[in-house]
Amino acid sequence: MIDQILGKPRLAFAAVFALCAGLLGFGMFLQLGLGLEPCPMCIMQRYAFVLCGLIAAVAALHGPAGVGRRVYAIAIALAAAAGGAVAARQSWLQHFPPNVVDCGPDLEFMLDSFPLAQALPLIFRGTGDCSKVQWSFLGLSIAEWSLIWFALIAVAGIWLSLAKHRP
């Protein structure tokens, strides 16, 4: 089945979109259904999933070939790599929490109060409860699961950019 999906770029892009939509839906369930409040790094990961999903949706609708397919695929891989970097940083913070936990301002306050160049370092420093594991499944935190999914999406993007497809 995976060969059938990956053998057809349009279907593969649609599958990436569906995966991202499902992951975002699950994140909303964790937030609204279970009451888990996302930290700034969680929100940034959500934005990365949204970006991956939007690019994949446009690519699935457009159905590009050749260079167009490669551009979409590389854009997805880059967005997934950015999200994966945030997830990796949060996973590291969860395994090695800072000595002093500073429950700083939330993402919205930081972006409203500081220029982006000043807000980004604060976000990546893990303000809020980014080092706290609120939920886990099979021994992995949400950030670690996000890292796995971002890695799989990036691999799919790289594969789509390199594979030779017949029309």
Side-chain angles (χ1 to χ4, degrees):
M1 178 168 156
I2 291 180
D3 286 342
Q4 291 173 344
I5 291 174
L6 293 177
K8 299 176 183 172
R10 193 174 221 164
L11 191 54
F13 285 125
V16 170
F17 168 75
L19 173 66
C20 291
L23 291 169
L24 288 165
F26 185 69
M28 294 308 295
F29 165 75
L30 290 175
Q31 180 178 354
L32 301 174
L34 300 182
L36 303 179
E37 286 300 317
C39 70
M41 294 179 99
C42 295
I43 293 169
M44 291 188 68
Q45 290 168 60
R46 285 185 186 181
Y47 286 147
F49 280 126
V50 167
L51 185 58
C52 290
L54 284 176
I55 295 167
V58 171
L61 292 172
H62 179 211
V67 174
R69 176 181 43 84
R70 287 183 182 90
V71 168
Y72 283 122
I74 290 169
I76 289 170
L78 290 173
V86 175
R89 175 69 177 148
Q90 184 176 7
S91 296
W92 188 85
L93 285 171
Q94 290 174 343
H95 286 281
F96 305 102
N99 292 335
V100 177
V101 178
D102 178 21
C103 293
D106 64 3
L107 179 65
E108 184 178 353
F109 174 81
M110 286 189 285
L111 291 176
D112 288 342
S113 302
F114 300 105
L116 187 61
Q118 290 178 348
L120 281 178
L122 294 174
I123 293 167
F124 281 101
R125 200 175 305 140
T127 58
D129 289 339
C130 292
S131 64
K132 183 180 177 185
V133 176
Q134 296 184 29
W135 182 88
S136 65
F137 180 69
L138 298 177
L140 298 176
S141 70
I142 298 169
E144 291 166 328
W145 280 109
S146 290
L147 180 57
I148 291 169
W149 288 115
F150 280 125
L152 291 173
I153 292 168
V155 166
I158 292 167
W159 185 88
L160 282 164
S161 71
L162 297 176
K164 302 210 184 287
H165 296 283
R166 288 175 252 137

